[in-house]
Amino acid sequence: MINIKGFAIAANTAEFEKTKKSFEEITDICLKSGFIGIEGHFPMFERKSNQELERIGKLFKDAGLVTETFHLPYTDPVKHDIATLYEADRKKVTDLMKKTIDQAVILGSSIGVIHPTTKKDCYTEEEGIDRLMLQLGKTLEAMLKHCEQYKFKIAIENMLPYLGDRLGCKLKHLEEIIKRCDHPLLGFCYDTGHSLVSHAEKALDVFHFMKDRLIAFHVVDNAGDRDSHLAPGHGNFFWKEFFTELEKIDYHGAMCVEAPPFSYGPNYSIEAWKTLRKELKILSGF
């Protein structure tokens, strides 16, 4: 049996903000379908006041749901890029990340998932790994210093390659990040879908590299060609091998399912959510 709290829903791929689901409705979906919580998603919470965040966090907590992880800003190639080469932009990104960490803490989260870059064409061979790491390191250093007051952790997520050696898509990039930015509050988020696209049959190499510092998971599937965010079991990821290896490590957190049900959407039925949870049970045994 794997030692995890259970499976949480990622708000971004469930598209709750697009379907205008209330937080009460989200709570109901989780409770009725067997999910233990939700991963916070920046666009859903960026304009919420502290009072609203406290209310939502209390709603989840009173229902017995966790908000362990929070996906820090990642959608804008300039405003959210922690490795940007433009110093003026980088300082603005740092300030935004700090503010979002504050919001995540109020909501009740303890881990922030972050992309090493938000630019699709941030290729290390073109831009230079040293230049990118210098900028990324300065941003992470400031973020982690801010995190210390809360003991809030940052999880670096492995990335997609797109058309080249995009920062964060290769093991050597992740090695360099930890080498330069080592901190007790810094760990990894293993994205199963990203690893399949980036490493194909060697997708689990990323897991093995991260395993001693894993603090978050994005559980998602695809055919290996693109990040299609299919429900686990509906693509080509190596689920049997993955969950076998997961049993061997000491991980006790939640696992975030970053995929909607394999069904008609985006207003997925409760039955569709229940089916997704049943499929996860079959794959994981949990």
Side-chain angles (χ1 to χ4, degrees), residues 22-59:
S22 70
F23 291 103
E24 287 75 13
E25 288 174 310
I26 295 170
T27 299
D28 190 56
I29 288 169
C30 289
L31 292 176
K32 288 182 177 178
S33 55
F35 289 90
I36 67 165
I38 187 168
E39 177 175 89
H41 181 222
F42 172 68
M44 290 184 70
F45 297 99
E46 63 176 314
R47 293 184 176 84
K48 302 295 183 187
S49 67
N50 289 352
Q51 292 74 20
E52 288 176 299
L53 289 168
E54 288 176 353
R55 182 192 71 79
I56 297 164
K58 186 176 185 302
L59 172 69

